[in-house]
Amino acid sequence: MALENVKERPDVDQKVVALFAFGIVCALLLILIVNISINTTSGIRGYVGGEGMWTKAQKESVIHLTNYIITGNDEEFDHFKSVLRVNIGDRVAREELLKNDYDYQKAYEGFLMGKNHPEDIPHMINVFRRFSWTPQVQTAINVWTEADEKITDLIHFGDSIRTQRQSSEISLEQKTEWVTRIEKIDHEFTDLEVRFSAAMGNLARLVNSVLRWSVITLGLMLIGIGIWLVYRFLNSTRVWMKTLRESEERFKQVLSNSKDVLYKMNLDDRQYKYVSPAITSMLGYKPEEFLDGGISFIFSKMHPKDRERLQQVVEKYDHIEDNEFLPFVEFRLKDSSGNWKWVNNVRTLVRNSEGKPEAIIGSVRDISTQKKQDKQIKESLKEKEILLQEIHHRVKNNLAIISSLLELQKDNVSQEVEDLLSSSQSRIKSIAKVHEKLYESSTLSNIPLDTYIRELSDEIKNAYTSGKKNIEIQLDVVPFEIDLDEAIPIGLILNELINNAFKHAFKDHKEGIIRISLEKSGEGMELVVENNGNSIAEDFDPDQSDSLGMTLIRVLIKRVNGTLKIESGEWTRFIIQFELGD
């Protein structure tokens, strides 16, 4: 029965999650509908307010035009034209919104000219575009269009009146006729305004009705989901509680059969409150012996070399702090047969409600086999380190022999061949220097690049220094370690650049300075070799150079994922930026 309940729980959880997700969707839809309702209401309110401003402007234009007819005052005519900007602005917005690919900013500015509130304009645009398919909005648009046409007629009528007044004297009968016509137009406007307001009112009632029932429907669905979840929770609690009790029983069985010894010790009296039965299979003692003897029993079975160290740990229990608590300790215990066993004690400090340490819980594991394996690994690793040191030493010696053979080949050869052999010797020495540093290194994998640069530059300088020429090398390198795969190409690059400086930059100079700097640059390093000797040609292109040195530099820079930049002037600079391996 318990297993069946456990199998049923995933299905129950899936249903609950699905229903909960559906409830979230309903809640989001409810929020969306409420938001649409608020925005739509704001838009309709904006049109109602805008209709008021439109009507006010229309009425004022009629008054100003009538006054102009009677008085002939040009200021009245100017006011007539000025107040109609409100109506013209609304017409610009309407005409723009009727386009499929409308310009939002142009429509916004039109409504703004119509003296609509800036916060209502976005909602007015949304209502126009979102509900333009409804009969109510269609009716409002048609009425709006008709009213704009009459505004145009009114403007033309006003222009014709002004033209006639400016060209001749107007009789009283003519003025009376014009005023009567204006009154008629004004009545027509009033009828259109009433029809527009009615259409927007119908839209507001339709939207409110649809949104009201949508909110009610979604609200009822959410209430139903809540009732179902409560019912399901109460119905499932009984099954889950039973499953929990069975799970606790299984946990106790696992605890009792674990090979690791689990325990709990109170800090007040140094007594164990629980020791798992695994202590018997590990050391041969019964849990009761630890429960009765406490921490004193542990010390009586502990190796003398570990006892003093662990006693110092226990003495700090009275006023222990988190930063002083050791999460794990290793020591040796004597089992019931008299054999020493290494154990690892992984511990956690337990605090009471006031935050004071009250107990230690942990697990003890037999690591005797692991200790023996660690010892074997250390011995094997030591042998490999000695062998690797010998390999690097022999590689360095073999490279020295090759350099000596090249030295012997210099006899009875031309100066050109001798220079080539010297260059090869220099490159070999730079590689040998890497293996020398690895041989001297404690890690046998990384070499100190700053030390390597310093010693390599000193060797090259000594080879070129004489009584007739004294070239100073200045170093500014940060302490940094690098592995073999990166050290050899960087060393060869540096060797080429320093040798080229001595050979070419200071060919006709007795004194000069070579500066070498190494610093971090982002996630990589930047190596700069510069000199104040002969300037390099401004049109020098390292990619087009066919010399062996530059070819070697280009190949080696690619190997370390680097870039080369050359700057000429008073100082010739070779700037190399390269990435570092993982």
Side-chain angles (χ1 to χ4, degrees), residues 143-180:
V143 172
W144 191 353
T145 304
E146 187 177 348
D148 284 341
E149 291 174 355
K150 288 191 176 296
I151 289 293
T152 302
D153 293 341
L154 180 61
I155 293 173
H156 291 161
F157 181 52
D159 291 338
S160 67
I161 291 173
R162 186 176 194 186
T163 301
Q164 293 184 46
R165 283 196 65 92
Q166 291 177 343
S167 62
S168 62
E169 289 292 332
I170 306 300
S171 64
L172 179 60
E173 290 79 7
Q174 181 65 60
K175 293 179 180 179
T176 304
E177 181 185 346
W178 284 342
V179 171
T180 303

Side-chain angles (χ1 to χ4, degrees), residues 109-244:
E109 291 175 354
F111 278 129
L112 200 59
M113 192 193 311
K115 293 188 176 181
N116 295 280
H117 197 284
E119 293 183 1
D120 290 336
I121 294 176
H123 304 307
M124 294 170 68
I125 294 174
N126 287 335
V127 168
F128 193 104
R129 299 292 298 183
R130 188 178 295 162
F131 297 100
S132 60
W133 56 272
T134 62
Q136 292 82 359
V137 175
Q138 283 292 329
T139 299
I141 292 174
N142 293 334
V143 172
W144 191 353
T145 304
E146 187 177 348
D148 284 341
E149 291 174 355
K150 288 191 176 296
I151 289 293
T152 302
D153 293 341
L154 180 61
I155 293 173
H156 291 161
F157 181 52
D159 291 338
S160 67
I161 291 173
R162 186 176 194 186
T163 301
Q164 293 184 46
R165 283 196 65 92
Q166 291 177 343
S167 62
S168 62
E169 289 292 332
I170 306 300
S171 64
L172 179 60
E173 290 79 7
Q174 181 65 60
K175 293 179 180 179
T176 304
E177 181 185 346
W178 284 342
V179 171
T180 303
R181 184 177 174 185
I182 290 175
E183 289 178 352
K184 182 181 178 182
I185 293 174
D186 187 46
H187 288 309
E188 292 174 353
F189 275 125
T190 301
D191 180 61
L192 293 173
E193 291 157 2
V194 170
R195 289 167 57 194
F196 182 86
S197 297
M200 295 308 296
N202 291 335
L203 175 63
R205 285 185 287 273
L206 173 64
V207 170
N208 286 337
S209 177
V210 171
L211 295 178
R212 183 192 309 114
W213 284 107
S214 298
V215 171
I216 292 173
T217 301
L218 288 173
L220 291 174
M221 293 176 66
L222 288 174
I223 292 173
I225 291 172
I227 294 174
W228 187 90
L229 287 174
V230 171
Y231 169 78
R232 193 73 180 180
F233 173 77
L234 295 176
N235 190 48
S236 302
T237 300
R238 178 182 56 83
V239 177
W240 289 353
M241 289 299 294
K242 182 179 179 181
T243 304
L244 182 60

Side-chain angles (χ1 to χ4, degrees), residues 36 174 187 288 347 387 395 441 450 526:
I36 292 174
Q174 181 65 60
H187 288 309
E288 291 77 11
R347 318 177 308 156
L387 178 60
V395 169
S441 172
D450 53 320
E526 182 179 86

Side-chain angles (χ1 to χ4, degrees), residues 386-488:
I386 294 174
L387 178 60
L388 191 57
Q389 281 183 324
E390 182 63 22
I391 289 173
H392 284 300
H393 185 62
R394 293 194 178 188
V395 169
K396 179 227 174 191
N397 289 342
N398 289 337
L399 289 173
I401 293 173
I402 294 173
S403 179
S404 299
L405 292 174
L406 292 176
E407 185 67 28
L408 294 175
Q409 293 293 323
K410 291 182 180 180
D411 294 338
N412 301 322
V413 296
S414 64
Q415 184 63 43
E416 181 180 359
V417 174
E418 184 178 347
D419 291 341
L420 290 174
L421 291 175
S422 296
S423 297
S424 298
Q425 280 183 299
S426 179
R427 291 162 186 152
I428 291 172
K429 288 179 179 179
S430 69
I431 298 175
K433 179 65 69 175
V434 172
H435 288 279
E436 179 183 344
K437 293 289 102 182
L438 285 172
Y439 172 74
E440 297 173 353
S441 172
S442 59
T443 62
L444 297 178
S445 59
N446 294 332
I447 67 170
L449 186 58
D450 53 320
T451 303
Y452 173 73
I453 292 175
R454 186 174 291 104
E455 294 183 3
L456 180 63
S457 59
D458 286 343
E459 286 190 6
I460 298 175
K461 177 184 177 181
N462 292 334
Y464 285 95
T465 300
S466 64
K468 298 180 180 181
K469 181 175 293 189
N470 181 25
I471 306 300
E472 180 185 357
I473 296 182
Q474 298 178 354
L475 298 178
D476 181 15
V477 292
V478 296
F480 187 73
E481 289 193 348
I482 196 169
D483 63 23
L484 176 64
D485 292 336
E486 295 168 332
I488 290 178

